[in-house]
Amino acid sequence: MARVFNFSAGPAVLPEEVLRQAQADMLDYQGCGMSVMEMSHRSAAFANIIETAEADIRDLMSIPDDYHVLFLQGGATQQFAAIPMNLMRNKKADYIVSGSWSKKAAKEAKLYGDVNVVASSEDENFSYVPDVDGLAFDADADYVYICQNETIYGTRYPKLPAVGNVPLVSDVSSMFLSEPVNVSDYGIIYGGVQKNVGPAGVVIVIVREDLVREDVIPTTPTIMRYLTQVDAKSLSNTPPCWGIYICGLVFKWLKGLGGLDAMKAMNEEKAALLYDFLDSSRLFKGTARKDCRSLMNVPFITGDADLDAKFIAECKNHGIENIKGHRSVGGMRASIYNAMPKAGVQALVDFMAQFEKENA
């Protein structure tokens, strides 16, 4: 059976080259006589896997030496609690709420301290990112929190907020490794990998040294303390070995393509192809405001729920899968992550043009 164009928001498409390498290694990883799924996380073979993965992501993102890279479990959602547990010394934090994920993160943080929602775009169903210019942040806040790319609503921050000396914490799950970032702009930058980097089950946390400390909220579970994981080099307990191995293959794949500058150019080309069609279409319409559109997640509608359902059903006949939008937005959503080839976006646009001609 031929592979389909998988537009799922996560778990999402992975590079075919990576999948083929994993297939080749499945029964016997580099002559050790066993799969990565079977080997001890304390073995020399796995030590090489995780150490190489860390070296490669450091290289890709130009991560400074005073930042730690952690390969953890629990997904990005567990970090909604881990972040305030580890950072809330003054028991207060500022949150910008730009979608479902930042809203959920703010709700979770309220369990551990005072949360000030500095700005929100919920008034227009999160179809835009709040303007960060001129926002006033509390100088005594333990951190400022954002979700830099909201998967459901297809929005991303055009620029980062100016937070002064307060650490900026950013959930980048849906845009992880899709373009260069300046890690030094953040206190913590983290993301679940199942959208753009690897299989479900791994969250990567990049945390600045001064934010890894002993004086966390006393009830913080040992396993959720950053200091625990830093000291153990992500091996405090059995890590998601297979997922880390796949992430490492993705890092190699990205480096082979030319790194994050090259990846950004490819992603901009794919996004432009789809957005240009949406902007000229008489039937389909994008739901995110143009000045904060995501390069990764593109929600769109026809304005007619029955017509949306018809389009989604007929996509399957054209090898287009997982195009249905989130229930809070409706319509369709195309997640065009790093591993989505331009041919997939072109196939989608071609079918949209055909469908419009037949149904407009």
Side-chain angles (χ1 to χ4, degrees), residues 61-62 148 172 175 179-186 189 260:
M61 296 180 70
S62 300
Q148 206 161 330
V172 295
M175 58 182 290
E179 59 183 64
V181 297
N182 181 17
V183 174
S184 296
D185 289 338
Y186 307 86
I189 182 170
L260 301 189

Side-chain angles (χ1 to χ4, degrees), residues 147-265:
C147 179
Q148 206 161 330
N149 185 104
E150 290 279 1
T151 321
I152 292 173
Y153 301 94
T155 60
R156 71 186 295 272
Y157 279 71
K159 61 186 292 188
L160 295 178
V163 297
N165 293 323
V166 179
L168 178 65
V169 176
S170 181
D171 176 353
V172 295
S173 297
S174 289
M175 58 182 290
F176 216 168
L177 299 181
S178 64
E179 59 183 64
V181 297
N182 181 17
V183 174
S184 296
D185 289 338
Y186 307 86
I188 295 177
I189 182 170
Y190 78 95
V193 306
Q194 73 277 7
K195 298 176 181 298
N196 208 32
V197 184
V202 184
V203 57
I204 298 174
V205 177
I206 302 167
V207 54
R208 202 171 62 210
E209 168 65 31
D210 63 296
L211 301 179
V212 178
R213 47 192 182 226
E214 294 182 3
D215 58 337
V216 301
I217 291 177
T219 55
T220 303
T222 302
I223 198 68
M224 290 177 66
R225 298 177 183 227
Y226 293 141
L227 184 60
T228 300
Q229 297 293 359
V230 167
D231 285 347
K233 299 186 183 300
S234 302
L235 300 175
S236 177
N237 65 325
T238 306
C241 298
W242 177 261
I244 293 169
Y245 156 71
I246 297 293
C247 290
L249 293 183
V250 171
F251 301 156
K252 293 290 188 190
W253 175 74
L254 285 166
K255 293 178 77 171
L257 290 176
L260 301 189
D261 285 310
M263 195 72 253
K264 180 185 180 184

Side-chain angles (χ1 to χ4, degrees), residues 1-7 13 315-316 318-322 340-341 344:
M1 179 178 177
R3 282 177 59 79
V4 298
F5 292 122
N6 175 17
F7 289 93
V13 60
C315 273
K316 291 181 176 290
H318 295 264
I320 297 167
E321 293 282 351
N322 296 312
M340 173 58 66

Side-chain angles (χ1 to χ4, degrees), residues 1-49:
M1 179 178 177
R3 282 177 59 79
V4 298
F5 292 122
N6 175 17
F7 289 93
S8 172
V13 60
L14 284 165
E16 187 170 331
E17 179 181 322
V18 166
L19 294 175
R20 292 191 181 281
Q21 182 63 56
Q23 182 183 48
D25 289 343
M26 177 60 75
L27 293 178
D28 181 6
Y29 175 74
Q30 296 190 356
C32 73
M34 68 185 86
S35 171
V36 175
M37 290 185 181
E38 302 170 294
M39 66 176 56
S40 168
H41 63 295
R42 306 293 183 187
S43 67
F46 186 73
N48 181 65
I49 287 172

